[in-house]
Amino acid sequence: MTRDPAPEVDPAIFAIATSRGSVTKMAQLLDVSVAEVEQMTRDGRLFTLHDKAQGGVVYPLYQGLKGVAGARLEEILRRFREASEDPQSRLDNFAIATFFVMPHVLLAWALPLEVLLGHRLYDSRLDSEALLYLSKDPDSRFSAVLGAVHDEVWHWRG
C-alpha cells in the first residue's frame, strides 16, 4: 500500500490523520482545554500511546478529526475497552491505534479511518465494494466500522 496521500484528500486532513501529537495539539484539534483532554483520556473517550521518540505520551491525532471525534469514537473505544477487560484479551492501545489505520477485510480492505471519514486517505486503489462503503451516509459507515470492531475484538481474544 502506498503511503502517498490520495489526490482528493485535503493535505491538512492527511497530516492530522497520519500524525501523533501532544495533549496540547489534541486540545487544539478538539477546541477544548488541555485539562478537558486529560479528563477525556481518563474517562476512556480518547486514548494515548507511549512513544519514546516523541518524548512520552502521544495522541493519535485522527481522534480529533470531524467524522471521528465525539460520540462515534467514544462508542468504538468503549467497545474496545470492554473487550480489553476480559482476562483472555491481548488488546492494548497500540492494537486499537493500529485498527484505525490498517485495511480491514470486513470493510473490503478500506481503512476504518477512511470509512469513518468517507474518503480515501492514501493513493491506493480500492475495489468497488470499498468505494461503496465510502459513499454511504455517516451512520451507515459508522455501523460498518462497528462490525469491524466486533471482528477485531474477537481476533484479540486469547
Side-chain angles (χ1 to χ4, degrees), residues 25 28 41 48 58 69 94-95 113-114 119 129 134 152 156 158:
K25 182 63 176 174
Q28 292 170 344
T41 305
T48 60
V58 294
F94 183 77
L113 183 55
E114 291 174 322
H119 60 78
E129 186 178 349
L134 301 184
E152 195 74 5
W156 285 98

Side-chain angles (χ1 to χ4, degrees), residues 11 32 34 40 83 90 95 103 109 121:
V32 299
V34 167
M40 292 170 75
R90 301 180 326 259
W109 300 110
L121 287 173

Side-chain angles (χ1 to χ4, degrees), residues 24-25 55 60 63 81 89 95 102 107 114 126:
T24 303
K25 182 63 176 174
Q63 295 177 97
R81 186 175 58 253
S89 176
M102 293 297 291
L107 301 173
E114 291 174 322
L126 293 178

Side-chain angles (χ1 to χ4, degrees), residues 57-73:
V57 174
V58 294
Y59 289 82
L61 294 180
Y62 56 72
Q63 295 177 97
L65 288 172
K66 182 181 177 181
V68 178
R72 289 191 170 112
L73 176 64

Side-chain angles (χ1 to χ4, degrees), residues 82-155:
E82 285 178 1
S84 71
E85 292 169 359
D86 181 330
Q88 294 182 345
S89 176
R90 301 180 326 259
L91 193 61
D92 60 14
N93 282 4
F94 183 77
I96 294 168
T98 303
F99 165 78
F100 286 94
V101 296
M102 293 297 291
H104 199 284
V105 64
L106 293 183
L107 301 173
W109 300 110
L111 309 180
L113 183 55
E114 291 174 322
V115 175
L116 287 170
L117 294 171
H119 60 78
R120 294 183 316 154
L121 287 173
Y122 296 101
D123 192 16
S124 56
R125 189 167 181 266
L126 293 178
D127 71 19
S128 60
E129 186 178 349
L131 293 172
L132 181 63
Y133 277 121
L134 301 184
S135 71
K136 297 289 186 183
D137 64 275
D139 289 337
S140 296
R141 294 194 317 265
F142 177 60
S143 180
V145 170
L146 287 181
V149 168
H150 180 77
D151 180 70
E152 195 74 5
V153 163
W154 281 102
H155 169 76

